[in-house]
Amino acid sequence: MSDVRRVTVTGERPYDVVIGRNLLAELPATLGKSVRRVLVVHPAALATTADAVIEDLRAHGYETFGAEVPDAEEAKTAQVAAFLWGVLGQADFTRSDAIVAVGGGATTDLGGFVAATWLRGIQVVQVPTTVLAMVDAAVGGKTGINTAEGKNLVGAFHPPAAVLCDLAALESMQPFDFVAGLAEIVKAGFIADPRILELVEGHVDLLKDPVAAARSEVLLELVERAVVVKAEVVGEDLKEAGLREILNYGHTFGHAIEHVERYQWRHGAAVSVGMVYVAELARLAGRLPDDVVARHRAVLTSLGLPTTYRGDRWERLLAAMRRDKKTRGDLLRFVVLEGIGKPVRLEGPDPTLLAAAYAEIAEGATSSTAISL
Ligand SMILES: NC(=O)c1ccc[n+]([C@@H]2O[C@H](COP(=O)([O-])OP(=O)(O)OC[C@H]3O[C@@H](n4cnc5c(N)ncnc54)[C@H](O)[C@@H]3O)[C@@H](O)[C@H]2O)c1
């Protein structure tokens, strides 16, 4: 497979998301001519990839530095950001220099945030190495770190100069992490692109194997299509004025699960349950036909993603949903579907409806749609 796909994200400063294999050669061109120094930020798990990036940039004449940061969420702290500001300061990085972030969404969020804040903004090229980061975290310009009080509470909107999605990087992913990332691709299918759902449904076995999937045209097309969905939304609405909300499909309930589980659940797994929850909510509200709800369960289950959650957590989940930063005032807001590709906002649904939807996904409950599968 030597195909390379490009998706342009429009906006004040348009940029390309490049999807393919072995994309290193693309990097110098994305940095442009004024850049002299580059800081490559990466976790230990991606050291080999980062070393190759560093070597390549040096060969192209850039003064290149590497900074290893802690793994996953441990990287998204003020301390790690301060460490990187220190590295940039010591190496005299100017406003025309750049950061390249190589890693999962945690690394791209951190790298983007440090780029947004150094000298009030230098360019960042994102090199995402997880499915989630390729189709979600690294695209769209949201960057941030966590504080003791919560996730992503400090951040900035800072679109990248480019995003390079090298599918070869995915071959080393753990299978369940890989599949959890597919939940965001399935989400893009439900909110905007039915072809995604057909592709997933037609290639379930392939998609459960990270190595085979990463070498396939199917994943190339899925990542491209999911990026197109995100690009079209963020191109029109960088700062979440409205349209961008549809990307939160399944996320209000998903975030609540993550909160109740103290972030020990994978994001994609929580969003998977969250999508079935809002599908049930829409069905109970008379908005969504049974077969579309059944399709949610079928496609997510076939990938090995969860579609149920323990039945004794309603009060805590409800409290967590009320605290979600997407809530406006006291009104709970959900993105629900009126059909595939037809997302709408549902504000302040009746509390009995909310609880009834929970009963449909609660473990031990008998769900009419689950039985019909
Ligand atoms: N900015 C946004 O719009 C946005 C959107 C969604 C999620 N996020 C953020 O993204 C983060 C989650 O992203 P994630 O799921 O990529 O997690 P992650 O960055 O924590 O990576 C998960 C694990 O996979 C490892 N890893 C990464 N690439 C690998 C590879 N190719 N092979 C083997 N191991 C690899 C990492 O070292 C880590 O241990 C969260 O912090 C979330 O808040 C941001």
Side-chain angles (χ1 to χ4, degrees):
M1 187 189 79
S2 58
D3 228 357
V4 172
R5 311 281 172 95
R6 269 167 217 281
V7 180
T8 302
V9 184
T10 57
E12 235 169 77
R13 272 194 224 148
Y15 58 94
D16 276 357
V17 182
V18 187
I19 307 146
R21 287 177 68 88
N22 309 316
L23 297 175
L24 268 193
E26 300 271 341
L27 195 46
T30 65
L31 288 170
K33 294 210 185 329
S34 58
V35 173
R36 284 182 49 215
R37 297 176 196 79
V38 182
L39 178 64
V40 179
V41 177
H42 65 91
L46 274 307
T48 311
T49 311
D51 285 347
V53 170
I54 291 170
E55 222 172 274
D56 193 58
L57 289 173
R58 285 190 181 144
H60 279 85
Y62 295 96
E63 197 181 336
T64 312
F65 305 82
E68 189 172 301
V69 294
D71 198 45
E73 292 301 305
E74 299 288 308
K76 287 176 61 171
T77 67
Q79 286 80 357
V80 177
F83 157 70
L84 294 177
W85 290 323
V87 174
L88 294 169
Q90 295 287 322
D92 295 324
F93 268 61
T94 68
R95 199 173 263 170
S96 56
D97 293 326
I99 289 179
V100 173
V102 180
T107 312
T108 57
D109 270 9
L110 169 76
F113 176 68
V114 170
T117 45
W118 183 251
L119 300 177
R120 300 189 182 83
I122 63 173
Q123 64 166 289
V124 62
V125 174
Q126 302 288 20
V127 183
T129 61
T130 65
V131 178
L132 180 83
M134 288 183 186
V135 302
D136 195 359
V139 179
K142 278 209 282 177
T143 72
I145 57 173
N146 307 325
T147 75
E149 287 71 33
K151 263 176 68 75
N152 301 322
L153 290 179
V154 176
F157 288 100
H158 186 61
V163 183
L164 302 184
C165 302
D166 188 340
L167 300 186
L170 302 177
E171 290 183 23
S172 53
M173 281 194 79
Q174 295 298 319
F176 195 72
D177 279 332
F178 181 84
V179 164
L182 297 180
E184 294 286 355
I185 294 183
V186 170
K187 177 199 79 180
F190 277 116
I191 61 173
D193 181 358
R195 178 71 189 138
I196 288 182
L197 300 176
E198 290 165 15
L199 279 169
V200 172
E201 286 160 348
H203 299 88
V204 163
D205 289 336
L206 173 82
L207 291 171
K208 286 201 272 200
D209 174 353
V211 176
R215 295 176 182 178
S216 70
E217 290 284 334
V218 174
L219 191 71
L220 182 75
E221 184 168 351
L222 283 172
V223 172
E224 182 192 14
R225 284 179 175 275
V227 167
V228 165
V229 171
K230 180 143 190 190
E232 280 176 357
V233 172
V234 299
E236 278 185 38
D237 178 19
L238 173 67
K239 300 200 172 169
E240 297 190 323
L243 180 63
R244 193 161 177 157
E245 228 178 330
I246 71 169
L247 298 171
N248 285 326
Y249 186 61
H251 281 57
T252 305
F253 193 80
H255 282 151
I257 291 180
E258 287 185 283
H259 181 82
V260 169
E261 294 293 333
R262 296 178 192 281
Y263 296 94
Q264 298 308 302
W265 266 50
R266 287 172 182 83
H267 177 69
V271 169
S272 174
V273 181
M275 285 191 279
V276 181
Y277 176 80
V278 276
E280 285 291 0
L281 189 60
R283 182 179 68 86
L284 293 166
R287 304 264 188 109
L288 193 65
D290 291 2
D291 62 327
V292 183
V293 184
R295 198 167 177 193
H296 279 70
R297 282 202 174 85
V299 66
L300 294 164
T301 307
S302 71
L303 290 170
L305 286 163
T307 54
T308 61
Y309 186 63
R310 53 189 297 174
D312 57 355
R313 286 288 180 272
W314 180 234
E315 293 305 324
R316 288 169 64 179
L317 289 164
L318 190 58
M321 287 198 283
R322 290 198 191 289
R323 269 199 309 270
D324 196 290
K325 62 178 186 290
K326 307 279 170 2
T327 302
R328 305 249 164 108
D330 235 7
L331 218 54
L332 275 180
R333 292 148 65 95
F334 295 87
V335 176
V336 296
L337 297 183
E338 286 186 335
I340 293 172
K342 294 191 186 121
V344 292
R345 190 179 295 145
L346 182 67
E347 278 192 10
D350 195 306
T352 55
L353 217 57
L354 290 170
Y358 176 61
E360 294 293 335
I361 60 106
E363 275 155 24
T366 46
S367 147
S368 50
T369 39
I371 287 166
S372 71
L373 276 179

